[in-house]
């Protein structure tokens, strides 16, 4: 980003050390300029800027055990808070994809999370809830696609793939699977299925058991399982 911007970004230390140079790249400068233009045009950017890097700030690099890839933040004011698929506390009704995630969680592990869509607790245990695009315009899904965020989040996935072993990557839907196509399945577990969206959940998401498969793998390699109960 432009000179001085890097110092204003609140990024967890381990991630900052790995990503510091990205903020000096031309694509990031162009992204920042785009977001500034959008802000000056009085467009509402979601989530608020302090939460753009919430996934990284909540789940340090050395604590990552599981990665779930999403597409972009919810475009409804008050919903997104920087973790893919998650919404702020007390949001009702839950987004439809999240409702289906909860249905599968109940079928898979008999865990009932229908009371909440706030997945911060997952992130605190080492589940990196990473969207490919970290911002969106209110009311316009995918409005910030192709502006540079994808390059930044690809870098994150490359770092995880190359520098860590025995991670679980959960790739729901064609978009996430394309983004994670380079993940080395010889040293990581990659769980693929249809997206939990109502348009595709019945084509292979339901019954895919991603939560129990993740925990079984973590236990096999001597790590603590994820407590999926919110």
């Amino acid at each position: 980003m432009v000179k001085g911007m890097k110092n204003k970004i609140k990024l967890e230390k381990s991630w900052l050390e790995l990503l510091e140079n990205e903020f000096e790249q031309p694509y990031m400068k162009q992204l920042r300029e785009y977001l500034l233009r959008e802000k000056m045009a009085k467009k509402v950017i979601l989530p608020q800027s302090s939460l753009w890097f919430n996934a990284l700030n909540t789940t340090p690099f050395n604590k990552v055990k599981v990665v779930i890839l999403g597409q972009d933040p919810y475009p409804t004011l008050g919903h997104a808070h920087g973790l893919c698929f998650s919404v702020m506390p007390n949001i009702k009704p839950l987004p439809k994809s999240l409702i289906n995630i909860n249905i599968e969680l109940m079928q898979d592990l008999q865990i009932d999370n229908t009371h909440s869509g706030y997945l911060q607790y997952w992130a605190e245990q080492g589940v990196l809830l990473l969207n490919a695009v970290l911002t969106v315009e209110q009311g316009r899904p995918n409005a910030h696609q192709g502006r540079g965020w994808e390059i930044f989040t690809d870098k994150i996935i490359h770092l995880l793939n190359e520098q860590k072993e025995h991670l679980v990557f959960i790739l729901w839907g064609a978009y996430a699977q394309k983004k994670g196509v380079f993940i080395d399945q010889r040293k990581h577990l990659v769980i693929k299925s249809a997206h939990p969206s109502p348009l595709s959940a019945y084509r292979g998401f339901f019954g895919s058991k991603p939560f129990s498969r993740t925990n079984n793998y973590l236990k096999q390699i001597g790590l603590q399982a994820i407590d999926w109960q919110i």
Side-chain angles (χ1 to χ4, degrees):
M1 290 190 177
V2 297
K3 186 177 180 180
M5 183 61 184
K6 186 171 63 176
N7 295 329
K8 298 178 184 177
I9 294 170
K10 302 297 184 185
L11 197 59
E12 189 275 330
K13 183 180 177 182
S14 65
W15 283 113
L16 184 60
E17 290 175 354
L18 292 165
L19 296 168
E20 191 170 19
N21 290 337
E22 291 302 299
F23 294 101
E24 305 295 342
Q25 300 303 312
Y27 82 86
M28 193 60 91
K29 179 179 178 180
Q30 293 167 7
L31 173 60
R32 178 179 180 268
E33 290 171 348
Y34 168 75
L35 293 172
L36 285 173
R37 288 196 304 271
E38 293 294 282
K39 187 174 181 180
M40 290 177 66
K42 306 299 183 185
K43 294 179 181 178
V44 178
I45 297 173
L46 302 175
Q48 64 190 60
S49 59
S50 63
L51 294 173
W52 290 356
F53 302 104
N54 189 28
L56 303 179
N57 288 333
T58 305
T59 313
F61 182 80
N62 63 334
K63 298 287 183 64
V64 176
K65 298 195 285 188
V66 182
V67 183
I68 299 179
L69 291 182
Q71 196 159 344
D72 70 338
Y74 294 117
T76 303
L77 189 65
H79 282 207
H81 65 110
L83 305 182
C84 71
F85 294 104
S86 181
V87 291
M88 293 291 280
N90 304 316
I91 295 295
K92 292 288 183 178
L94 297 180
K96 292 179 181 178
S97 291
L98 192 49
I99 290 173
N100 286 340
I101 289 170
N102 284 337
I103 290 172
E104 176 62 18
L105 184 58
M106 172 62 82
Q107 293 176 344
D108 187 8
L109 291 175
Q110 292 72 56
I111 290 175
D112 184 357
N113 277 349
T114 55
H115 61 285
S116 177
Y118 186 57
L119 306 181
Q120 189 82 17
Y121 180 54
W122 292 6
E124 290 168 358
Q125 297 177 74
V127 182
L128 182 65
L129 296 168
L130 181 68
N131 274 318
V133 178
L134 302 188
T135 59
V136 72
E137 181 185 339
Q138 181 182 353
R140 293 189 60 219
N142 306 320
H144 293 176
Q145 281 195 2
R147 295 292 180 173
W149 280 127
E150 293 94 337
I151 302 172
F152 182 74
T153 52
D154 277 351
K155 178 67 175 182
I156 291 169
I157 300 167
H158 273 287
L159 287 167
L160 290 164
N161 177 57
E162 293 162 5
Q163 296 192 23
K164 295 181 75 73
E165 293 184 343
H166 307 304
L167 295 179
V168 181
F169 288 88
I170 299 176
L171 309 179
W172 288 329
Y175 184 94
Q177 289 164 28
K178 183 178 179 181
K179 190 170 180 68
V181 69
F182 58 82
I183 296 167
D184 187 348
Q185 298 188 45
R186 294 168 299 179
K187 65 175 184 175
H188 303 293
L189 175 64
V190 179
I191 298 174
K192 301 178 184 179
S193 77
H195 194 276
S197 160
L199 298 175
S200 58
Y202 288 94
R203 294 191 221 134
F205 173 73
F206 290 134
S208 63
K209 300 185 181 298
F211 308 103
S212 62
R213 289 167 67 189
T214 293
N215 280 354
N216 289 339
Y217 180 79
L218 292 175
K219 286 186 237 182
Q220 285 172 11
I221 61 173
L223 294 178
Q224 185 172 351
I226 303 299
D227 178 10
W228 300 104
Q229 178 72 64
I230 301 299

